[in-house]
Amino acid sequence: MVEYREVELEDINTLDEYFDIFGHDREAVKYLINLFLDQVYDLQEFLEEKGHTAEEFTKWQKQKETQSYH
C-alpha cells in the first residue's frame, strides 16, 4: 500500500476524492504525479522485459481509440 501523510492512496478512487482530502496542496499534487509517473515507467519496463515495444503500444492505443469512437 502506498501511503502519503497517513492516507492510504489506494483507498482514493477519483481526483475529486484526492482533492477533498488534500485540497490544492502543491506538494500532495506533486507526490501524486510522481507516483503516477513511477508506475507508468515501471509498467513500460515490465512490458519491454516481456518483449513488447513502444510501437506495439502505440498501435494498440490507436486501435482502442478507433473502437471507442465508432
Side-chain angles (χ1 to χ4, degrees):
M1 292 263 174
V2 176
E3 192 173 291
Y4 180 73
R5 296 189 183 167
E6 301 180 15
V7 175
E8 295 290 339
L9 295 181
E10 286 84 1
D11 295 337
I12 300 173
N13 295 311
T14 67
L15 285 175
D16 287 334
E17 288 178 28
Y18 187 85
F19 285 114
D20 286 345
I21 294 169
F22 295 109
H24 293 281
D25 180 341
R26 182 181 179 96
E27 291 303 313
V29 172
K30 284 172 54 177
Y31 181 85
L32 181 65
I33 291 169
N34 284 325
L35 177 64
F36 173 75
L37 290 175
D38 286 344
Q39 290 177 342
V40 168
Y41 295 140
D42 286 348
L43 180 59
Q44 181 180 13
E45 184 179 336
F46 173 79
L47 291 173
E48 287 174 355
E49 287 178 4
K50 300 293 181 188
H52 299 285
T53 64
E55 291 80 17
E56 288 175 318
F57 173 75
T58 302
K59 182 179 176 182
W60 172 84
Q61 192 176 36
K62 286 180 182 178
Q63 288 174 341
K64 184 178 177 191
E65 288 174 4
T66 301
Q67 293 171 357
S68 295
Y69 294 124
H70 297 288

